[in-house]
Amino acid sequence: MDSSNEKNETKEYTKGSIEDVSDESSLGAQPHRLHRQLKNRHIAMISIGGVIGTGLFLGTANALRHGGPVGLLLGYGVVGSVVFCMMITLGEMVSFLPIPGGHIKLAERFVDPALAFATGWNYWYNWVVTGELSAASVIISYWDKHTSPAVWIAVCAIVVITINLLGAGAYGEAEFVFASIKVLTITGLILLGIVLDLGGGPTHDRIGFRYWKNPGPFVAYDGIAGSKGHFIGWWAVLSQAAFSFLGTEIVAIAAGEAKNPRRNVPKAIRRVYVRILLFYVGGTTVIGLLVPSNEPRLNLSAGKGTATASPFVIAINNAGIKALPSIINACLLTSAWSAATSDLYTSSRSLYGLAVAGNAPKIFLKTSRKGLPYVALIFCVLFISLGFMGIKSGSGEVFEWLSTMTSISGLWTWFGIGLTYIRFYKGMQAQGIDRRTLPYWTRLQPFAAWYVVISCLIIGFFGGFAVFLKGNWNTATFVTTYLPFIGFPVMYLGARLYHRVGPVAPIDMDFKTNIDEIEADTFDDPPPKNKMEAFWQWLVNILSSRSMISALTNHQQM
């Protein structure tokens, strides 16, 4: 962006919005708009918090049990590379066109309406059934094993709904606080883990790489001996890792309500690989050092699991630190609350985006004066009742079912993002647009997008392989894995037959609509107003500093 846009700094951006003019006639005389209420620090912490959730704190229990410490690390490393490529792929498109509906609307614009339909409904379903409230009840059961999970699910639901009813600004502030707690928690846990591993705990037991030797770096999945069993154990980690990384792409949906999106969104995208390295590679490495893969408490299934199954809590208990597990558990609870709040926010905005694209009833386009899509939000609230399935089945088991379903749906979402970018890239080439003029670009394209597309298909297709092993058939696992996997192509083909419209030709792709409004919303970020804002700006800059990983990466972006 050139310096001429600096004059827009004094505009009242909270009143602004991006309206898809291609759909203006279908919206009637009163345009339906989302207001830009999310500030730079909101977008920064939403993108950071999106990578840290119950999948990392709780889900890694089963991943360690199935894959062993090295299998856990490699599994999360592979999926982390897919997520990194997905985010730079998404970042290039969303930084250029930060419009309501995010990648859902972009799929219609650069591929066809059928892909927008399939991607949109898959993404909505993904966030409606995530099951974070079940995870919250699991965490609370660490303290209270007598009260029905239904009570705690209802209490958590009230908090989540209230935050979302207050609008995007309140969501941004809440996520800012929640994400701050998560960042401090995981950073503290990694540092504590290093201290404990080196013998700095109360027991002074120097663990080192003890558990890499016994019971070993890999786990023989289901007793299958040799490298075959180890490979299958590592593969079992991938689906869980995918669930842990879900939410990284929320920044695409939030971009439609972000202030100064062309400057703030690229900043958030550039920080992704730091978070993957710091939080996931660092976190899983520490987990594999501190907890043996044959630890019987690493189990959330069959209703037996509580928050004591968290590898971090297990490690702290083993070290003889009595008070800290409860403190960590409280931080995990805020993580579950944060994730559930983001689930409702994202699902409601996804439904709004579907309505903008004409793939959902127009009633979901209704917004309040403050830009809240209240009809879409109320509809999504109804699905919170899914969390109550854990009352009889056990919240741990329900959490596993829902995490499997959302993992597969999330892989399809990333697949759709990669496919949309491949078409976007071809359109840029066909129309002679230099990608280096975009707000964000990388030299890794289009190879990164192809890597996302191929990897997501392979991981999703083989995600439920365990049920086909002799004696391992499980109907619930089969259904929760392959129903969402089959659902995406069925939705796409059905929408293709309904719309009877083929993919848009690269030369006909629309790279101009909305650009004027977006450029008008671009300005230089003002300096911090107080010491608190200055502190968080400093913290975000530390987290995104390229110097932290300059030895690990040498490609230049922008």
Side-chain angles (χ1 to χ4, degrees):
M1 299 304 305
D2 63 276
S3 60
S4 63
N5 290 309
E6 295 179 5
K7 63 184 180 180
N8 296 304
E9 183 176 353
T10 59
K11 288 189 175 183
E12 297 182 36
Y13 294 98
T14 57
K15 297 180 181 179
S17 65
I18 294 296
E19 176 187 347
D20 192 340
V21 295
S22 63
D23 292 309
E24 186 175 353
S25 60
S26 65
L27 300 180
Q30 296 286 336
H32 302 268
R33 300 179 175 181
L34 299 179
H35 292 187
R36 295 200 179 276
Q37 302 177 43
L38 298 176
K39 303 175 183 178
N40 178 28
R41 61 186 177 89
H42 295 156
I43 293 295
M45 297 310 284
I46 286 170
S47 63
I48 291 174
V51 211
I52 309 169
T54 50
L56 176 59
F57 292 124
L58 277 177
T60 45
N62 280 335
L64 177 59
R65 187 162 59 94
H66 291 149
V70 176
L72 170 70
L73 179 59
L74 292 178
Y76 273 77
V78 169
V79 177
S81 69
V82 175
V83 171
F84 168 70
C85 290
M86 180 274 298
M87 285 302 292
I88 62 174
T89 296
L90 177 65
E92 188 167 317
M93 295 187 293
V94 173
S95 298
F96 176 63
L97 283 170
I99 57 178
H103 57 280
I104 300 170
K105 189 62 180 174
L106 294 176
E108 178 190 35
R109 196 152 166 170
F110 299 115
V111 186
D112 60 14
L115 184 65
F117 178 89
T119 300
W121 282 109
N122 174 80
Y123 197 61
W124 172 81
Y125 155 85
N126 181 19
W127 289 105
V128 160
V129 302
T130 300
E132 297 291 354
L133 292 180
S134 293
S137 66
V138 171
I139 291 169
I140 293 174
S141 67
Y142 179 83
W143 299 297
D144 184 0
K145 296 180 175 62
H146 304 292
T147 304
S148 170
V151 174
W152 295 118
I153 290 173
V155 170
C156 294
I158 291 172
V159 175
V160 167
I161 294 169
T162 301
I163 291 172
N164 275 274
L165 285 174
L166 293 175
Y171 163 72
E173 291 293 345
E175 190 61 16
F176 179 78
V177 174
F178 285 145
S180 301
I181 295 172
K182 289 193 286 186
V183 169
L184 295 174
T185 300
I186 189 62
T187 303
L189 287 173
I190 291 173
L191 294 175
L192 175 62
I194 295 172
V195 171
L196 294 177
D197 185 68
L198 296 176
T203 62
H204 300 292
D205 181 17
R206 193 177 190 280
I207 301 172
F209 287 86
R210 178 189 307 167
Y211 300 131
W212 286 41
K213 298 177 181 179
N214 183 25
F218 294 95
V219 170
Y221 190 89
D222 198 36
I224 300 173
S227 57
K228 180 180 179 181
H230 294 164
F231 175 81
I232 294 176
W234 166 75
W235 194 269
V237 175
L238 298 183
S239 292
Q240 179 57 52
F243 173 77
S244 298
F245 279 107
L246 287 179
T248 318
E249 74 288 337
I250 287 179
V251 67
I253 297 295
E257 295 177 90
K259 296 181 180 182
N260 202 14
R262 280 205 163 176
R263 299 201 177 183
N264 291 336
V265 173
K267 290 178 184 177
I269 298 297
R270 291 193 195 95
R271 298 170 186 136
V272 167
Y273 53 96
V274 177
R275 280 168 247 138
I276 292 172
L277 289 172
L278 178 63
F279 301 136
Y280 277 96
V281 175
T284 53
T285 300
V286 167
I287 287 171
L289 291 174
L290 297 179
V291 182
S293 57
N294 60 358
E295 165 62 55
R297 286 171 289 178
L298 292 173
N299 186 9
L300 280 171
S301 62
K304 299 177 182 178
T306 66
T308 55
S310 168
F312 293 108
V313 175
I314 291 172
I316 293 169
N317 280 324
N318 289 344
I321 305 175
K322 296 182 179 179
L324 195 55
S326 289
I327 297 173
I328 298 303
N329 207 60
C331 295
L332 302 190
L333 180 59
T334 63
S335 176
W337 253 330
S338 167
T341 304
S342 293
D343 295 346
L344 185 54
Y345 171 83
T346 308
S347 60
S348 62
R349 270 49 176 193
S350 299
L351 190 56
Y352 176 89
L354 281 163
V356 169
N359 291 320
K362 292 182 180 180
I363 191 173
F364 294 124
L365 288 169
K366 288 189 175 182
T367 60
S368 67
R369 293 180 180 178
K370 295 183 178 180
L372 177 71
Y374 61 91
V375 177
L377 180 63
I378 292 171
F379 182 75
C380 293
V381 165
L382 300 177
F383 290 85
I384 285 180
S385 59
L386 290 172
F388 291 95
M389 290 193 301
I391 297 174
K392 292 185 178 180
S393 299
S395 294
E397 185 177 13
V398 170
F399 176 69
E400 282 197 47
W401 292 345
L402 297 179
S403 66
T404 300
M405 296 173 72
T406 52
S407 295
I408 303 302
S409 297
L411 289 167
W412 274 123
T413 294
W414 299 345
F415 168 87
I417 290 170
L419 184 60
T420 301
Y421 180 83
I422 290 170
R423 299 288 299 165
F424 174 87
Y425 184 89
K426 289 184 177 180
M428 285 272 179
Q429 285 184 317
Q431 298 186 28
I433 301 174
D434 187 356
R435 290 173 49 249
R436 289 175 295 183
T437 63
L438 300 181
Y440 174 87
W441 72 283
T442 171
R443 292 188 176 92
L444 296 178
Q445 298 294 4
F447 310 107
W450 278 109
Y451 175 61
V452 172
V453 167
I454 296 171
S455 298
C456 290
L457 282 176
I458 294 175
I459 295 173
F461 182 77
F462 291 103
F465 72 91
V467 299
F468 299 109
L469 298 177
K470 187 176 180 180
N472 270 14
W473 177 259
N474 185 302
T475 303
T477 302
F478 177 81
V479 170
T480 55
T481 300
Y482 290 105
L483 180 62
F485 185 82
I486 296 172
F488 187 91
V490 168
M491 286 191 294
Y492 175 77
L493 292 175
R496 185 72 179 271
L497 291 173
Y498 176 81
H499 287 289
R500 299 180 183 275
V501 176
V504 59
I507 195 66
D508 295 328
M509 290 180 184
D510 180 9
F511 292 99
K512 296 181 179 180
T513 301
N514 302 124
I515 296 299
D516 290 341
E517 300 99 314
I518 294 167
E519 289 183 345
D521 276 345
T522 303
F523 58 96
D524 285 338
D525 290 323
K529 297 178 181 179
N530 50 53
K531 291 182 178 180
M532 182 59 70
E533 287 191 6
F535 168 75
W536 284 113
Q537 187 178 84
W538 169 82
L539 179 61
V540 168
N541 288 335
I542 289 295
L543 290 174
S544 62
S545 175
R546 297 187 181 190
S547 62
M548 293 175 59
I549 56 167
S550 59
L552 300 175
T553 181
N554 57 9
H555 77 274
Q556 182 69 30
Q557 296 172 333
M558 285 202 61

